[in-house]
Each structure stands twice: as structure tokens, then as C-alpha cells.
Amino acid sequence: MHVRSIFVALALLAAGASVQANNLLDQLKEQAGAAVNSQGSGNSGAGGSALSGLSLGGFKMPAIGSSTIGSAAGVLEYCVKNNYLGGDAASVKDKLLAKITGQKKQENDFASGAKGLLKGGDGKSLNLKGLSSKVKEKACDYVLKNATSLI
């Protein structure tokens, strides 16, 4: 009977550890949101921005620069449509769109951005859809500030 008690105790301990591990994993997923390849250092050459190393919710934001105008414009569209940005954000988006007309890659990046996927010139990307509203708002502000400098 003593062996059976030890077995039950070990099983309960293992189950508790498994639940704790799952909870920790869930917390990490929430913190990272839907970040895709968001770890690393600042910008890596052309197309970067002064704010590329901004840490948001524990991870670094993708660099926004001349090579990512389409993505930035698309994310601005997403942010305005979902009421994370107002004011001159739509105007900034329209000016960026005027710069990329006829450029297939940039137009494709715009389409992805309009769905909430920010692609950076530094190889990092971030999917806004899985983030909390507060973090989305900060990410949208980040994109607007960087995109304004690209006009």
C-alpha cells in the first residue's frame, strides 16, 4: 500500500508540474502575441529607422524604412480601419501609397500590412492581430511616427 501512495503522490506532482509548464507557456505566448521572428538587434543597413530598436511588449519592433513603405502603408490602413489611429494617419498612408504605385513587391507588402502584418527592412515581422489592444495602439503609433519620416 505504501508503494501505491508514493506512486499517487508522484503522479500528482507530475500533473501539477505539467499544468504549471502549460501555464508558463501560455503566458509566454500572450507576451509575444503573434510576433513572427521579432527577436534580434536593431536595424541592419538601408531601410532602417531611428526607432527600429524600440522594445514593445518585451520584443523589438521591425525596422521601418524606404524598403518597407508598402508594409507601413498597409499597417496604417489596418490601424485606421480598426480605430487604433485617427487624425492624419490616413493622409500619411495615402502619400506612402503614391510612392509605391506600380511596384509589385511593395503593393504585396501593402496587402499584407492591411491584414495586420508589419514587415521590417531588418527581416523581422510582427502580426498585430494577436496582440492586446494596448500593444496594437503602441505599434500603430510606432508605424505612424516612422512612416511620417518616409514621406
Side-chain angles (χ1 to χ4, degrees):
M1 197 62 155
H2 182 62
V3 173
R4 179 179 249 161
S5 297
I6 292 174
F7 236 171
V8 169
L10 286 174
L12 289 173
L13 239 147
S18 176
V19 168
Q20 263 187 327
N22 284 336
N23 287 340
L24 180 60
L25 182 59
D26 289 342
Q27 288 174 356
L28 289 173
K29 284 180 183 177
E30 285 176 25
Q31 286 180 353
V36 179
N37 191 21
S38 63
Q39 294 293 58
S41 61
N43 66 43
S44 58
S49 72
L51 296 176
S52 65
L54 178 70
S55 179
L56 185 64
F59 49 90
K60 293 189 185 271
M61 292 294 295
I64 298 173
S66 59
S67 65
T68 60
I69 290 175
S71 181
V75 170
L76 289 176
E77 169 96 357
Y78 174 88
C79 294
V80 169
K81 183 173 70 172
N82 290 289
N83 299 314
Y84 294 108
L85 289 175
D88 65 338
S91 171
V92 171
K93 176 206 54 152
D94 291 340
K95 290 175 183 174
L96 293 175
L97 280 175
K99 289 185 163 211
I100 64 164
T101 301
Q103 297 177 35
K104 190 70 172 164
K105 182 191 179 313
Q106 293 282 7
E107 289 175 351
N108 288 340
D109 287 347
F110 172 82
S112 295
K115 295 175 184 172
L117 182 63
L118 174 62
K119 296 178 183 177
D122 54 0
K124 294 170 183 50
S125 59
L126 174 71
N127 190 337
L128 276 67
K129 285 185 176 182
L131 302 176
S132 71
S133 292
K134 188 173 183 177
V135 176
K136 281 182 191 175
E137 193 172 310
K138 288 181 181 182
C140 289
D141 286 339
Y142 166 82
V143 173
L144 179 60
K145 286 176 186 169
N146 280 269
T148 302
S149 70
L150 298 173
I151 297 176

